[in-house]
Amino acid sequence: VEGPAADAFDTEYGVGGSGDKRRSPKRSGSELLSMIGGTTMLGTNGTRKPRKKKRNTKMVNHALFKNYTYKEAEAELADCEAGEGGVVIRPSSRAKDHLTISWKFQGKVVNHTDVTEKTTNGKKTFIVKEKEYEDLDEIIYRYIIPITEHAKAVEEFRYFKDGDQAAIDKRLHA
């Protein structure tokens, strides 16, 4: 709509003129909401209140399952050994049909693997990186443990040197 009526509307509600293709607002969102009787998420000092993220809680019948967050799982695994003892199954923040298996990989490294639950004809399967598993134990024994055993074999190799990227580069170029 163009013309004097559009210009009057634009002036009244604080948006760009009729010739302005972008029609950028001149008023803040809270001002516009108060004009139409809406409410805002602003606190008493005019700053936006942080929204609390809903925690995805879920119950899974498995001995290693815990309703932990990402940080709680990492804290739990900080003192564990890599392998079977360093595994926590927890709800995923991605979706209700996802789980995350947090596991100690090597040293201080904790890996978080996404697992998708899929139910077909009443049978539940779990998908990790496009491969299907029948249960969570199968994922642990056929996916996680072989990777950690391979990492341990690499660590035990006679030329393996542990350290960060800068220390390794320094040794290589010395």
Side-chain angles (χ1 to χ4, degrees):
V1 178
E2 294 185 21
D7 290 335
F9 176 83
D10 294 342
T11 304
E12 173 70 24
Y13 292 102
V15 293
S18 59
D20 184 29
K21 301 289 184 209
R22 291 172 289 149
R23 302 190 52 89
S24 60
K26 294 180 183 175
R27 295 187 181 175
S28 71
S30 59
E31 289 175 329
L32 291 172
L33 280 173
S34 65
M35 287 178 4
I36 60 171
T39 59
T40 66
M41 291 291 295
L42 297 180
T44 56
N45 61 356
T47 59
R48 184 172 289 275
K49 291 181 187 176
R51 289 186 179 174
K52 288 186 178 179
K53 189 172 181 181
K54 274 187 163 180
R55 187 169 175 179
N56 208 0
T57 58
K58 187 173 190 165
M59 288 308 301
V60 174
N61 190 15
H62 194 278
L64 297 174
F65 180 81
K66 301 203 165 61
N67 259 324
Y68 281 171
T69 63
Y70 172 89
K71 290 186 179 192
E72 291 170 335
E74 285 199 343
E76 173 90 13
L77 297 172
D79 298 329
C80 293
E81 288 289 320
E84 193 176 344
V87 177
V88 172
I89 302 169
R90 61 186 182 84
S92 176
S93 58
R94 289 187 184 200
K96 295 257 183 215
D97 65 339
H98 285 249
L99 293 169
T100 300
I101 299 180
S102 300
W103 49 285
K104 189 75 169 257
F105 177 65
Q106 178 240 359
K108 295 180 182 177
V109 179
V110 176
N111 192 333
H112 303 278
T113 303
D114 181 52
V115 178
T116 306
E117 290 181 81
K118 185 172 111 179
T119 305
T120 309
N121 298 331
K123 185 176 180 182
K124 189 180 281 193
T125 57
F126 300 93
I127 302 169
V128 176
K129 296 191 180 191
E130 299 178 8
K131 185 165 183 196
E132 289 191 15
Y133 297 91
E134 290 182 17
D135 59 15
L136 295 170
D137 288 326
E138 184 181 7
I139 295 170
I140 293 169
Y141 289 107
R142 295 189 64 202
Y143 179 78
I144 294 172
I145 290 179
I147 292 172
T148 55
E149 286 176 353
H150 185 69
K152 284 180 186 177
V154 169
E155 276 184 337
E156 292 168 0
F157 187 67
R158 64 182 175 203
Y159 295 121
F160 177 80
K161 301 290 184 203
D162 196 13
D164 62 352
Q165 187 68 39
I168 292 170
D169 287 341
K170 185 178 178 181
R171 276 191 228 138
L172 288 174
H173 299 292

